[in-house]
Amino acid sequence: MYYGEQNDGAYMEQEEEWEREGLLDPAWEKQQRKTFTAWCNSHLRKAGTQIEEIEEDFRQGLKLMLLLEVISGEQLPKPDKGRMRFHKIANVNKALDFIESKGVKLVSIGPEEIVDGNVKMTLGMIWTIILRFAIQDISVEELSAKEGLLLWCQRKTSPYRNVNVQNFHLSFKDGLAFCALIHRHRPELIDYYKLSRDNPLENLNTAFDVAEKHLDIPRMLDAEDMVNSAKPDERSVMTYVSAYYHAFSGAQQAETAANRICKVLKVNQENERLMEEYERMASDLLEWIKRTTPWLENRTTDNTLPGTQSKLEEFREYRRKHKPPKLEEKAKLETVFNTLQTRLRLSNRPAYLPTEGKMVSDIAKAWKGLEFAEKGFEDWLLSELQRLERLDHLAQKFKHKCDIHEEWAHGKEDMLQSTDYKKCRLNELKAFKKKHEAFESDLAAHQDRVEQIAAIAQELNALEYHDAPAVNARCQRICDQWDVLGTLTQKRRVALDEAERIMERIDQLHLEFAKRAAPFNNWMDGAKEDLVDMFIVHTTEEIQGLIDAHEQFKQTLGEADKEFNAIIGLVNEVQKIGMQYEITGASVNPYTTLSAQSEDGETEKVTYHHEDIANKWTEVRQLVPKRDGVLQQEMIRQQNNERLRLQFAKKANTVGQWIERHLDHLVSISLQSGSLENTLTQFKSFDTEVHQYKPNIDELERYNQEVQEAMIFENRHTQYTMESLRVGWEQLLTAIARNINETENQILTRDSKGITEDQMDEFKKSFNFFDKKKSRRLDPNEFKQCLVSLGFNIGHDRQGDAELQKMMAIVDPNGTGFVTFEAFLDFMTRETTDTDTAEQVMQSFKILSGDQPYITAEILRRELPPDQAEYCIARMAPYKGPDAVPGALDYSSFSTALYGESDL
């Protein structure tokens, strides 16, 4: 918010929203200028001065301090004398501090804006002052500031037609509101009833003229601006209206007296209304309680569950819909009574005494009686409903249990009389027997249900259930059937035991077959899987291991053949017994899905999925020689792979060691002493020797191709791979080329900078000494030690660290954290040789030009070689000094550009 906020006034907090738009509207700014200027002058004239331009006249702060002293009646600190900017800021600061001392928080208004003549900030500051000293103290019926002023306008103009004050902009646009305020307090000054809202300009001018002439209120608003503006500036109107309020403040006393009388009468009228409301509500509530209580005390039903449930639903309807509103009325009644008594006590009136029988205690007593009847009614109704529901529940329970039992018993007699067990196998017979045992357990478990059915029937008879004969008949049928089921169960048990003894021997043979056939079948499955199993081997040792395992397997085939014949013998014995005793299905084995071939060549099977053991045994015997052939072929392939491994390993070991030796030799050449030319000759000779070794690399590539085509991935005969050898070969070639290039650059540097062979050798030895890792680069600490060894004085204090950082910035401009030998050599060259500078080159050009600040193309072509003369002419900028001659060239900028100190 641009303006001020009153710490204890809500109206100041509202300014942010309902007046922000005024800062953006030029028309409003114009209105505010005029209004605020007139308002300020109305106070400044008391001190014998005034302002013309509000944003200019307050810049020095003097008139601003004077304005605050006039409107507050207080003395501000002594202003600073002087016309400098800081004097003005100091004076404005004193004014702003005084405003804040009055409880106004200034936001975004600083003394600089006022001193700089910021219109919006200056208007905002004046508006803050107007709010604090002209509007804040306005109070009407507990409303203050803007709301109080608006309420005052509404009260004063309410009797006047065509006046409806709702705000401080559009409500005053036609001028009638101003005229009404004047007429209300000074009716002799304006004939209000001759005015028309169709003449707003005349109305406004009339009000402004009368106020200025008779009420000493300066003309703060412009009538044309008010009429032509879509929405007059609210602050301007409020400022002007506040002047009316203060002018007419004497007339407030009579109005305050009238308001006090109205307030007292209003309290009495409200108290009488509350008394009447209490009497009416008490009568209605007591009448409803009187009607409802007898209904709750009635304890009769039609002795049926639907009828009782219907009465319960009526009670729930009462509790849900009828009682809650009455409970709210009771609470409201008590609230009205308490409110009335409080209002009477606060206004020094005697307490209210309701008519007889309508006291709050009387209503509470009647309500308690209602709830007592309600509680007894609900308890009785729930008890009756519980009794009828118990009877209905027993009947339903009896029917449910009978239905379950009859459903369970259905078909049980036919099942117990069946002779199906005479045509089954032993395992099925045992299953029948287990099933019968389960049925006997089930029968015993159902004994409880039959007893429960009889007990429920007895209880229904005791409670005089209306349909007791039907219940008794159904109960008798169930008990009779229960006795029959018990007899049939015992007979079937005896028959099953007798049949079990006959088939016991056959079952033993079936079980023996299942015990021996299953592991034998599993063994054959494993053997088949092993004989056709895919394998991946990489060495002759691995394939030899597979061949040895296969030979061991072939030695077990004799024992397996004996087991096969024993299993077939069990099946033949079962068939013999089945034919002898004519037992249907005796040859079917219930313990296994396997089948075996009998002596006559027929296959015995069960009804499930089966496997032929004889056929599987034949298949295993046929797979053995096939496996022999596959293993032998793989042995031949692995022997050939081993030959390829040895061939590659022999060559790779030779080449790898050769590369390693030559890499070491290359390092030794770079570290040895001697002239650079000798070192370069050795590097080039070494390069020739290395390139002559290339056919060995090519031969190794051919061996590697054969290894890859044979799908060989490991070679225990060598530590080298083709990839590592390629990398080593490429590193060797790269290192040779790099060393040749570095040596040539060192020779070039030495020759161009005039470095002696001994100096170059010393630089190299120092660098190599501190290059412990032989990486041809130094870290900052190693670089510092190297420089110290060469005579540089670099301390171990903060100054020494700063000096080292400057050197590192030169030798490592990219910030890698390392110093290469080339950068080190370049640094040492600059430090130990006399290099040309831009100043020296400029001095040379000045000599050629005859002490002139420029040079011509003619002089350059005369004094310099042709190619260098043309180079300078093409790149020198024209000389633009006052003493320039035609064709003059600027050799100064050219010289600095040569050393990177400016752009060419």
Side-chain angles (χ1 to χ4, degrees), residues 736-804:
I736 293 171
R738 184 181 66 248
N739 277 277
I740 291 173
N741 178 257
E742 290 176 355
T743 305
E744 290 174 343
N745 287 339
Q746 292 171 20
I747 293 172
L748 179 62
T749 301
R750 181 198 64 190
D751 295 342
S752 63
K753 300 298 182 179
I755 302 174
T756 65
E757 194 72 39
D758 292 338
Q759 287 178 314
M760 182 66 72
D761 192 47
E762 182 183 7
F763 296 159
K764 182 186 297 185
K765 286 181 179 179
S766 297
F767 186 90
N768 291 335
F769 176 78
F770 290 100
D771 182 16
K772 304 297 184 182
K773 299 178 182 178
K774 304 308 177 186
S775 60
R776 295 192 64 77
R777 62 182 187 178
L778 305 178
D779 62 27
N781 187 48
E782 292 169 343
F783 176 60
K784 177 181 178 181
Q785 295 174 2
C786 183
L787 292 178
V788 171
S789 70
L790 290 171
F792 284 76
N793 184 18
I794 302 177
H796 294 284
D797 53 6
R798 185 176 299 177
Q799 182 177 357
D801 293 340
E803 185 178 355
L804 179 61

Side-chain angles (χ1 to χ4, degrees), residues 47 212 268 330 407 415 450 482 484 507 551 554 608 627 692 722 742 747 782 851 865 892:
E212 184 176 24
N268 275 12
K330 177 176 174 291
E407 181 180 0
M415 182 270 291
V450 175
W482 185 253
V484 173
D507 185 69
E551 290 299 325
K554 288 194 291 185
Y608 311 106
R627 185 69 169 182
Q692 289 174 352
M722 194 64 229
E742 290 176 355
I747 293 172
E782 292 169 343
D851 288 337
S892 297

